Amino acid sequence: MKHFLPQRVEVKPRGFTMIELILVIACFITGGLLLNAAFDLTTPKGVLCTANMMDLGKAVESYRADNDEYFMIPQLTVKNKGYCPPNWATLLACTKMGNYVSAVKLNCPEMPAYLPDRWANPAYQASPYTWMWNKPGYGYNAVWVGGVRRGKNGYPGAQPYNIAAVDDPANLIVIADSADTDRKTGGAFLWPVYMKKNTVLWPRHEGAVNVLYADGHVAATASGMSSANEESSAALYAKGAELESSATGKRMTCKWRMGLD
């Protein structure tokens, strides 16, 4: 009897067809979008704000490196009236000026953005004169760090300080959560004294305010209350804090000066 052995059949490997490849790529893209959406929905807004401020800290450091270690001037002058003059936010994020950080990083997810359609628009990001720069979600310590106090003619005549002049960079406020005078959006310039008519520190993260310090680290300072309002904002300002009197060291408060004269 003859035995017939099965013959080996060679199967050549088959590659992906074009349709299969397109389907695989589409699945990866869809999965990535779903993950991003889930991240945005589940990540606390305070964490996203902290990430924004860390990016701003890197931008400030890069700006100083390009400007002999001086901080940003609060506001530039313009010859044409009617224009919103460029300010520190413009210097950091305008794509035709500093371009050190994306403009969208200037807004906190816990605070409604002023003119929200503009911040991610390339045309507005490239314009130094759009009004959006005047109301970012974060404010700058313009009086001390920006040198308004020792300059002339307000913000445009300010004389920014060099980082070398700061006694304790780890405790000097540079940028923080802010609320403009209407308390509906942020404001560009923080004042070291609490007043209802001023742009102020605004503790919108369950009663805490996120602060970027001169050494680049970001930390939250609690107001001792659970929400953002005039009372909790005022609680962040110790009496004499703007001049760092003896009262400043007695409580957890934001430091505005740290040796600057």
Side-chain angles (χ1 to χ4, degrees), residues 32-94:
L33 291 173
L34 290 173
L35 284 174
N36 282 338
F39 178 80
D40 289 341
L41 290 172
T42 59
T43 303
K45 292 180 179 179
V47 174
L48 296 175
C49 173
T50 300
N52 282 356
M53 281 208 176
M54 290 177 69
D55 287 336
L56 288 176
K58 294 174 184 176
V60 171
E61 184 178 359
S62 296
Y63 175 90
R64 289 203 325 262
D66 289 342
N67 291 274
D68 297 323
E69 292 302 328
Y70 283 90
F71 286 96
M72 303 81 68
I73 188 169
Q75 182 176 292
L76 304 178
T77 56
V78 290
K79 294 181 179 179
N80 298 324
K81 293 183 178 180
Y83 284 105
C84 176
N87 61 21
W88 67 270
T90 325
L91 291 173
L92 292 183
C94 178

Side-chain angles (χ1 to χ4, degrees), residues 18-228:
M18 182 61 70
I19 293 176
E20 289 171 333
L21 189 59
I22 291 173
L23 288 173
V24 170
I25 293 172
C27 287
F28 276 113
I29 292 173
T30 302
L33 291 173
L34 290 173
L35 284 174
N36 282 338
F39 178 80
D40 289 341
L41 290 172
T42 59
T43 303
K45 292 180 179 179
V47 174
L48 296 175
C49 173
T50 300
N52 282 356
M53 281 208 176
M54 290 177 69
D55 287 336
L56 288 176
K58 294 174 184 176
V60 171
E61 184 178 359
S62 296
Y63 175 90
R64 289 203 325 262
D66 289 342
N67 291 274
D68 297 323
E69 292 302 328
Y70 283 90
F71 286 96
M72 303 81 68
I73 188 169
Q75 182 176 292
L76 304 178
T77 56
V78 290
K79 294 181 179 179
N80 298 324
K81 293 183 178 180
Y83 284 105
C84 176
N87 61 21
W88 67 270
T90 325
L91 291 173
L92 292 183
C94 178
T95 54
K96 287 192 175 179
M97 295 192 77
N99 200 21
Y100 293 103
V101 69
S102 171
V104 296
K105 297 292 184 176
L106 285 164
N107 281 296
C108 173
E110 288 278 14
M111 193 77 167
Y114 177 70
L115 301 174
D117 58 315
R118 296 190 179 187
W119 292 93
N121 186 316
Y124 286 107
Q125 291 174 348
S127 173
Y129 304 108
T130 177
W131 280 96
M132 73 179 194
W133 300 116
N134 205 41
K135 290 194 174 186
Y138 307 116
Y140 178 42
N141 182 2
V143 172
W144 285 107
V145 175
V148 171
R149 186 179 175 88
R150 67 173 182 169
K152 296 180 180 180
N153 192 31
Y155 295 128
Q159 298 179 30
Y161 281 90
N162 191 291
I163 187 66
V166 182
D167 286 346
D168 186 1
N171 279 303
L172 177 65
I173 177 176
V174 176
I175 295 171
D177 287 317
S178 69
D180 205 357
T181 52
D182 60 6
R183 305 303 192 245
K184 294 179 180 179
T185 60
F189 307 111
L190 287 168
W191 282 87
V193 179
Y194 171 80
M195 293 181 69
K196 284 188 177 182
K197 65 179 182 179
N198 287 346
T199 298
V200 294
L201 294 167
W202 201 242
R204 49 183 171 251
H205 305 293
E206 298 182 348
V209 60
N210 281 337
V211 179
L212 168 67
Y213 292 91
D215 69 342
H217 86 278
V218 176
T221 296
S223 66
M225 302 173 199
S226 60
S227 61

